[in-house]
Amino acid sequence: MSKSYNPHEEILRIVDQAAALLGLEKRDYIQLKSPERELKVSVPVRMDDGSIQVFEGYRVQHSGVRGPYKGGTRYHQNVDMDEVKALAAAMTFKCAVVDIPYGGGKGGITVDATKLSKAELERLTRKYTTLLYPIVGPHIDIPAPDVNTNDEVMAWFMDTYSILNGQLTLAVVTGKPVPLGGSLGRSEATGRGIMLTAREIARKVGLDLKGARVAVQGAGNVGGTAARFLHREGCQVVAISDVSGAVYKEDGLDIEEIWSFLRAERGRLLKDYDAPGLSRISNTELLQLQVDILVPAALENAITAENAPHIKAQIVLEGANGPTTADADNILAERGITVVPDILTNAGGVVVSYFEWLQNLQSVKWEEDEINRKLEYTMVKAFHDVWNMAEQAGTSLRMGAYMLALDRIVTASKLRGVTF
Ligand code: GLU
């Protein structure tokens, strides 16, 4: 991430605009301008060669107004406090958009996870958990997976927390493996939510998803799963990328084959995938393809003022958190491109995290059909709430989403009152 760009400042600017449109006074929402709690930890890890490396870790609890803090844990070399603060704030608004009873939080470690062995990752996760132990818990702050963390990492987190807590505490994290308190449908939930959002927006703008051309930036759990679900809806996924570059096929890629190839072993990359008729393009070229739907599902700052003038998609569905800079957002709006914002589009993950947490707290197991039905209901309702808000206020969908969320948070906050 370029350091001139501060994602936390960008969110705060959107919140100010949303507040002005709602007619809120500063005193109504000033508490949302800085996180309630920021923790920075140093995580010493014994590496496989016997040396000790110290990694920087974070957990930011942005707002607990509507419920316990909730949000993922990111392992990436670019993680820093500003990024975690932005992502934590985004979680507060995301949980309010889909109206689940959580606040927002986020954690991360500055580490290139691809350079660590599995044993090193486990020791890193367990040490990080011990350092977070005083501030997390099933009714306090509930982490989950994010970039480069998965169900296995959540299992280590849960196990370490449980040892320290003296009892099995499944509900302390979500996104766990299904045999260990995880929920059916959780690993696909973000991708499924993106597909459901695509369906709703396509209806609104009169686009037929059958045969619609789609480009997806990112082939991880979010991008890869979204591509699979969109493919199943009849979309032609013509391009997909990962850190090693992008692949393109004019008449649509075999997304299931790509998914199986990438998942066959840890660290597999698209640069090693080949198929007849496939060509290799850059990430920049992928973003600028002639497609109906573009799904940026990698990291922040993907769509910028430089590439926004060249984007040809009709719809941008934000699978990643914060993929579009504020300048780029304005350019896309001027060019008539519909952007469906991250805090709505990718909320399926945290929605099913909520279902997982409910199951853990009640010691029950829901059927996958029931979970998918409830997810669909929640996503479709949120989509229409956002759409209606944006239409009433005559704003973008992003502003509509922030207005809807801010209104819910401020209402809860006023009901609670300022105690001190
Ligand atoms: N990391 C995901 C997100 O950004 C999921 C968070 C969660 O399930 O708590 O929404």
PDB file of all heavy atoms in Angstrom, residues 21-22 24 89 101 118 137 140 144 150 171 189 205 232-233 251 300 320 329 345:
ATOM      1  N   LEU A  21     -25.232  14.616   5.415  1.00  0.00           N
ATOM      2  CA  LEU A  21     -26.459  14.284   4.673  1.00  0.00           C
ATOM      3  C   LEU A  21     -27.588  13.849   5.613  1.00  0.00           C
ATOM      4  O   LEU A  21     -28.768  14.075   5.338  1.00  0.00           O
ATOM      5  CB  LEU A  21     -26.179  13.170   3.654  1.00  0.00           C
ATOM      6  CG  LEU A  21     -25.376  13.619   2.423  1.00  0.00           C
ATOM      7  CD1 LEU A  21     -24.790  12.425   1.692  1.00  0.00           C
ATOM      8  CD2 LEU A  21     -26.275  14.419   1.466  1.00  0.00           C
ATOM      9  N   LEU A  22     -27.215  13.228   6.740  1.00  0.00           N
ATOM     10  CA  LEU A  22     -28.233  12.790   7.711  1.00  0.00           C
ATOM     11  C   LEU A  22     -28.645  13.936   8.645  1.00  0.00           C
ATOM     12  O   LEU A  22     -29.548  13.774   9.468  1.00  0.00           O
ATOM     13  CB  LEU A  22     -27.688  11.634   8.566  1.00  0.00           C
ATOM     14  CG  LEU A  22     -27.570  10.257   7.899  1.00  0.00           C
ATOM     15  CD1 LEU A  22     -26.729   9.324   8.777  1.00  0.00           C
ATOM     16  CD2 LEU A  22     -28.942   9.635   7.642  1.00  0.00           C
ATOM     17  N   LEU A  24     -26.724  15.144  11.009  1.00  0.00           N
ATOM     18  CA  LEU A  24     -26.236  14.878  12.359  1.00  0.00           C
ATOM     19  C   LEU A  24     -25.301  15.999  12.808  1.00  0.00           C
ATOM     20  O   LEU A  24     -24.628  16.632  11.996  1.00  0.00           O
ATOM     21  CB  LEU A  24     -25.462  13.557  12.398  1.00  0.00           C
ATOM     22  CG  LEU A  24     -26.251  12.285  12.110  1.00  0.00           C
ATOM     23  CD1 LEU A  24     -25.301  11.089  12.092  1.00  0.00           C
ATOM     24  CD2 LEU A  24     -27.334  12.076  13.162  1.00  0.00           C
ATOM     25  N   ALA A  89     -12.693   0.220  11.515  1.00  0.00           N
ATOM     26  CA  ALA A  89     -13.820   1.152  11.340  1.00  0.00           C
ATOM     27  C   ALA A  89     -14.782   0.604  10.285  1.00  0.00           C
ATOM     28  O   ALA A  89     -16.008   0.638  10.461  1.00  0.00           O
ATOM     29  CB  ALA A  89     -13.301   2.526  10.935  1.00  0.00           C
ATOM     30  N   PRO A 101     -25.753  -7.694  15.432  1.00  0.00           N
ATOM     31  CA  PRO A 101     -25.461  -6.970  16.672  1.00  0.00           C
ATOM     32  C   PRO A 101     -23.997  -7.002  17.099  1.00  0.00           C
ATOM     33  O   PRO A 101     -23.641  -7.550  18.127  1.00  0.00           O
ATOM     34  CB  PRO A 101     -26.338  -7.704  17.700  1.00  0.00           C
ATOM     35  CG  PRO A 101     -26.405  -9.099  17.171  1.00  0.00           C
ATOM     36  CD  PRO A 101     -26.382  -9.003  15.679  1.00  0.00           C
ATOM     37  N   LYS A 118       4.543 -23.859   8.069  1.00  0.00           N
ATOM     38  CA  LYS A 118       3.298 -24.020   8.805  1.00  0.00           C
ATOM     39  C   LYS A 118       3.549 -24.009  10.315  1.00  0.00           C
ATOM     40  O   LYS A 118       2.794 -23.403  11.080  1.00  0.00           O
ATOM     41  CB  LYS A 118       2.647 -25.341   8.376  1.00  0.00           C
ATOM     42  CG  LYS A 118       1.203 -25.420   8.716  1.00  0.00           C
ATOM     43  CD  LYS A 118       0.574 -26.577   7.993  1.00  0.00           C
ATOM     44  CE  LYS A 118      -0.451 -27.190   8.884  1.00  0.00           C
ATOM     45  NZ  LYS A 118      -1.186 -28.278   8.271  1.00  0.00           N
ATOM     46  N   GLY A 137     -12.594 -12.128  23.656  1.00  0.00           N
ATOM     47  CA  GLY A 137     -13.473 -13.055  24.358  1.00  0.00           C
ATOM     48  C   GLY A 137     -14.813 -13.112  23.633  1.00  0.00           C
ATOM     49  O   GLY A 137     -15.143 -12.195  22.873  1.00  0.00           O
ATOM     50  N   ILE A 140     -16.657 -10.051  24.059  1.00  0.00           N
ATOM     51  CA  ILE A 140     -15.828  -8.837  24.089  1.00  0.00           C
ATOM     52  C   ILE A 140     -15.369  -8.477  22.678  1.00  0.00           C
ATOM     53  O   ILE A 140     -15.691  -7.415  22.145  1.00  0.00           O
ATOM     54  CB  ILE A 140     -14.600  -9.029  25.008  1.00  0.00           C
ATOM     55  CG1 ILE A 140     -15.053  -9.420  26.420  1.00  0.00           C
ATOM     56  CG2 ILE A 140     -13.749  -7.757  25.043  1.00  0.00           C
ATOM     57  CD1 ILE A 140     -13.932  -9.890  27.317  1.00  0.00           C
ATOM     58  N   ALA A 144     -11.622 -13.302  13.406  1.00  0.00           N
ATOM     59  CA  ALA A 144     -12.044 -14.172  12.306  1.00  0.00           C
ATOM     60  C   ALA A 144     -10.931 -14.155  11.260  1.00  0.00           C
ATOM     61  O   ALA A 144      -9.967 -13.414  11.401  1.00  0.00           O
ATOM     62  CB  ALA A 144     -13.348 -13.632  11.700  1.00  0.00           C
ATOM     63  N   ASN A 150      -6.739 -18.497   7.752  1.00  0.00           N
ATOM     64  CA  ASN A 150      -7.815 -19.412   7.363  1.00  0.00           C
ATOM     65  C   ASN A 150      -8.359 -20.163   8.578  1.00  0.00           C
ATOM     66  O   ASN A 150      -8.063 -19.803   9.716  1.00  0.00           O
ATOM     67  CB  ASN A 150      -7.309 -20.384   6.293  1.00  0.00           C
ATOM     68  CG  ASN A 150      -6.104 -21.181   6.816  1.00  0.00           C
ATOM     69  OD1 ASN A 150      -5.810 -21.161   8.009  1.00  0.00           O
ATOM     70  ND2 ASN A 150      -5.420 -21.872   5.936  1.00  0.00           N
ATOM     71  N   ALA A 171     -16.694 -19.912  20.933  1.00  0.00           N
ATOM     72  CA  ALA A 171     -17.256 -18.655  20.414  1.00  0.00           C
ATOM     73  C   ALA A 171     -16.280 -17.478  20.432  1.00  0.00           C
ATOM     74  O   ALA A 171     -16.650 -16.366  20.107  1.00  0.00           O
ATOM     75  CB  ALA A 171     -18.523 -18.288  21.191  1.00  0.00           C
ATOM     76  N   ALA A 189     -19.025 -18.047   2.433  1.00  0.00           N
ATOM     77  CA  ALA A 189     -20.034 -17.004   2.676  1.00  0.00           C
ATOM     78  C   ALA A 189     -19.742 -15.658   2.003  1.00  0.00           C
ATOM     79  O   ALA A 189     -20.647 -15.025   1.466  1.00  0.00           O
ATOM     80  CB  ALA A 189     -20.201 -16.793   4.184  1.00  0.00           C
ATOM     81  N   VAL A 205     -30.095  -2.713 -12.573  1.00  0.00           N
ATOM     82  CA  VAL A 205     -29.597  -1.997 -13.750  1.00  0.00           C
ATOM     83  C   VAL A 205     -29.960  -2.697 -15.060  1.00  0.00           C
ATOM     84  O   VAL A 205     -29.568  -2.250 -16.134  1.00  0.00           O
ATOM     85  CB  VAL A 205     -28.064  -1.742 -13.680  1.00  0.00           C
ATOM     86  CG1 VAL A 205     -27.680  -0.990 -12.410  1.00  0.00           C
ATOM     87  CG2 VAL A 205     -27.281  -3.039 -13.801  1.00  0.00           C
ATOM     88  N   ARG A 232     -21.351 -20.114 -11.688  1.00  0.00           N
ATOM     89  CA  ARG A 232     -22.548 -20.970 -11.558  1.00  0.00           C
ATOM     90  C   ARG A 232     -23.820 -20.227 -11.917  1.00  0.00           C
ATOM     91  O   ARG A 232     -24.813 -20.827 -12.313  1.00  0.00           O
ATOM     92  CB  ARG A 232     -22.668 -21.523 -10.136  1.00  0.00           C
ATOM     93  CG  ARG A 232     -21.667 -22.617  -9.866  1.00  0.00           C
ATOM     94  CD  ARG A 232     -21.868 -23.172  -8.468  1.00  0.00           C
ATOM     95  NE  ARG A 232     -20.591 -23.609  -7.930  1.00  0.00           N
ATOM     96  CZ  ARG A 232     -20.338 -23.829  -6.649  1.00  0.00           C
ATOM     97  NH1 ARG A 232     -21.281 -23.652  -5.745  1.00  0.00           N
ATOM     98  NH2 ARG A 232     -19.154 -24.237  -6.257  1.00  0.00           N
ATOM     99  N   GLU A 233     -23.815 -18.914 -11.778  1.00  0.00           N
ATOM    100  CA  GLU A 233     -24.984 -18.092 -12.155  1.00  0.00           C
ATOM    101  C   GLU A 233     -25.048 -17.877 -13.664  1.00  0.00           C
ATOM    102  O   GLU A 233     -25.949 -17.208 -14.157  1.00  0.00           O
ATOM    103  CB  GLU A 233     -24.920 -16.722 -11.475  1.00  0.00           C
ATOM    104  CG  GLU A 233     -25.220 -16.731 -10.003  1.00  0.00           C
ATOM    105  CD  GLU A 233     -26.625 -17.226  -9.668  1.00  0.00           C
ATOM    106  OE1 GLU A 233     -27.611 -16.596 -10.092  1.00  0.00           O
ATOM    107  OE2 GLU A 233     -26.719 -18.266  -8.981  1.00  0.00           O
ATOM    108  N   ASP A 251     -13.498 -16.495 -24.113  1.00  0.00           N
ATOM    109  CA  ASP A 251     -14.822 -17.106 -23.975  1.00  0.00           C
ATOM    110  C   ASP A 251     -15.047 -17.715 -22.585  1.00  0.00           C
ATOM    111  O   ASP A 251     -15.924 -18.563 -22.409  1.00  0.00           O
ATOM    112  CB  ASP A 251     -15.053 -18.146 -25.088  1.00  0.00           C
ATOM    113  CG  ASP A 251     -13.990 -19.226 -25.068  1.00  0.00           C
ATOM    114  OD1 ASP A 251     -13.023 -19.099 -24.286  1.00  0.00           O
ATOM    115  OD2 ASP A 251     -14.131 -20.213 -25.819  1.00  0.00           O
ATOM    116  N   GLU A 300      -6.543  -3.260  -0.592  1.00  0.00           N
ATOM    117  CA  GLU A 300      -6.952  -1.864  -0.738  1.00  0.00           C
ATOM    118  C   GLU A 300      -6.233  -1.224  -1.913  1.00  0.00           C
ATOM    119  O   GLU A 300      -5.215  -1.723  -2.382  1.00  0.00           O
ATOM    120  CB  GLU A 300      -6.561  -1.016   0.482  1.00  0.00           C
ATOM    121  CG  GLU A 300      -6.995  -1.475   1.822  1.00  0.00           C
ATOM    122  CD  GLU A 300      -6.008  -2.430   2.412  1.00  0.00           C
ATOM    123  OE1 GLU A 300      -5.898  -3.532   1.855  1.00  0.00           O
ATOM    124  OE2 GLU A 300      -5.376  -2.115   3.421  1.00  0.00           O
ATOM    125  N   ALA A 320     -13.041  -6.873  -1.991  1.00  0.00           N
ATOM    126  CA  ALA A 320     -12.016  -6.548  -0.995  1.00  0.00           C
ATOM    127  C   ALA A 320     -12.535  -5.439  -0.093  1.00  0.00           C
ATOM    128  O   ALA A 320     -13.555  -4.805  -0.388  1.00  0.00           O
ATOM    129  CB  ALA A 320     -10.745  -6.081  -1.693  1.00  0.00           C
ATOM    130  N   ASP A 329     -13.175   6.813  -6.775  1.00  0.00           N
ATOM    131  CA  ASP A 329     -14.620   6.693  -6.590  1.00  0.00           C
ATOM    132  C   ASP A 329     -15.340   7.831  -7.322  1.00  0.00           C
ATOM    133  O   ASP A 329     -16.349   7.605  -8.014  1.00  0.00           O
ATOM    134  CB  ASP A 329     -14.912   6.780  -5.086  1.00  0.00           C
ATOM    135  CG  ASP A 329     -16.067   5.891  -4.678  1.00  0.00           C
ATOM    136  OD1 ASP A 329     -16.401   4.966  -5.440  1.00  0.00           O
ATOM    137  OD2 ASP A 329     -16.627   6.123  -3.593  1.00  0.00           O
ATOM    138  N   THR A 345     -21.142  -5.352  -0.142  1.00  0.00           N
ATOM    139  CA  THR A 345     -20.822  -6.467  -1.037  1.00  0.00           C
ATOM    140  C   THR A 345     -20.141  -7.641  -0.334  1.00  0.00           C
ATOM    141  O   THR A 345     -20.476  -8.798  -0.586  1.00  0.00           O
ATOM    142  CB  THR A 345     -19.900  -5.964  -2.167  1.00  0.00           C
ATOM    143  OG1 THR A 345     -20.511  -4.830  -2.778  1.00  0.00           O
ATOM    144  CG2 THR A 345     -19.666  -7.029  -3.205  1.00  0.00           C
TER     145      THR A 345
END
